[in-house]
């Protein structure tokens, strides 16, 4: 596949295994956006595929959306459980993470908005979920630093039928 994400700041890249087991895909190992603000902590709780708690702070991943599993009054959406399980596999409770920020720090629900990186290997979790088909792109301005990167990853996942793109009838 050989896809390299462009970033808004200097970064290093690291090859990572794709769902097919190859290691030809690379993505930012570290990056910062919109001024370079970052913080670090440990995963203390997982909510679903795009929301978690880091050191007592509720964090919503920027730029991605996973199917709902816990919205009151609505059924679990197609691939929702799989997305939640993938998040748990990528970031088990206790995992050290680094949070990178874009322009907005909080969403309308008071959650901290962040790009999440696993400290052990620099894995860009937001991008990984899109690449593997567990999440789709959700751009909410002004947080657009990685929009094009995420859109390219989503096109790749759709083209290859990864994750939700082969499992869900509406493929939305």
């Amino acid at each position: 596949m050989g896809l390299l994400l462009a970033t808004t700041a200097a970064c290093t890249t690291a090859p990572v295994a794709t769902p097919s087991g190859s290691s030809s895909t690379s993505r930012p190992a570290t990056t910062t956006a919109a001024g370079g603000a970052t913080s670090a902590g440990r995963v203390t709780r997982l909510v679903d595929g795009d929301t978690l708690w880091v050191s007592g702070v509720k964090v919503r991943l920027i730029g991605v959306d996973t199917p709902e599993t816990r919205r009151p009054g609505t059924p679990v959406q197609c691939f929702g459980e799989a997305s939640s399980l993938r998040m748990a596999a990528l970031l088990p409770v206790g995992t050290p993470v680094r949070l990178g920020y874009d322009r907005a720090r909080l969403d309308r629900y008071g959650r901290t908005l962040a790009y999440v990186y696993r400290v052990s290997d620099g894995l860009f979790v937001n991008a990984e979920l899109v690449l593997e088909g567990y999440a789709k792109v959700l751009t909410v301005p002004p947080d657009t630093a990685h929009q094009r990167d995420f859109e390219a990853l989503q096109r790749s996942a759709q083209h290859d039928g990864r994750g939700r793109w082969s499992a869900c009838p509406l493929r939305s």
Side-chain angles (χ1 to χ4, degrees):
M1 196 150 84
L3 181 64
L4 179 65
L5 292 179
T7 61
T8 59
C11 71
T12 59
T13 58
V16 294
T18 62
S20 63
S22 71
S23 61
S24 62
T25 300
S26 50
R27 66 184 53 71
T30 59
T31 187
T32 56
T38 65
S39 64
R42 289 188 181 272
V43 175
T44 53
R45 182 176 157 217
L46 298 167
V47 177
D48 58 22
D50 55 30
T51 307
L52 67 156
W53 288 78
V54 175
S55 299
V57 175
K58 195 171 190 178
V59 175
R60 173 66 166 78
L61 301 182
I62 297 173
V64 303
D65 187 40
T66 60
E68 297 298 330
T69 60
R70 297 178 180 232
R71 180 176 285 169
T74 62
V76 172
Q77 292 178 332
C78 180
F79 222 66
E81 289 297 328
S83 295
S84 293
L85 289 171
R86 184 60 180 144
M87 173 71 96
L90 292 172
L91 297 175
V93 170
T95 301
V97 295
R98 187 174 57 79
L99 305 178
Y101 305 104
D102 208 321
R103 300 205 184 276
R105 284 302 279 265
L106 299 175
D107 69 5
R108 64 182 178 176
Y109 304 107
R111 300 174 294 190
T112 296
L113 296 168
Y115 299 110
V116 178
Y117 303 87
R118 200 166 51 195
V119 169
S120 65
D121 60 2
L123 179 74
F124 186 4
V125 176
N126 309 51
E128 186 71 10
L129 291 169
V130 175
L131 174 68
E132 294 181 357
Y134 289 98
K136 66 179 181 178
V137 176
L138 175 65
T139 303
V140 180
D143 297 326
T144 60
H146 292 288
Q147 177 181 352
R148 288 184 180 149
D149 302 332
F150 293 160
E151 288 170 349
L153 292 172
Q154 180 171 294
R155 282 191 302 274
S156 173
Q158 287 174 306
H159 178 267
D160 293 346
R162 288 191 297 269
R164 67 185 291 138
W165 305 112
S166 66
C168 301
L170 298 178
R171 295 183 182 212
S172 58

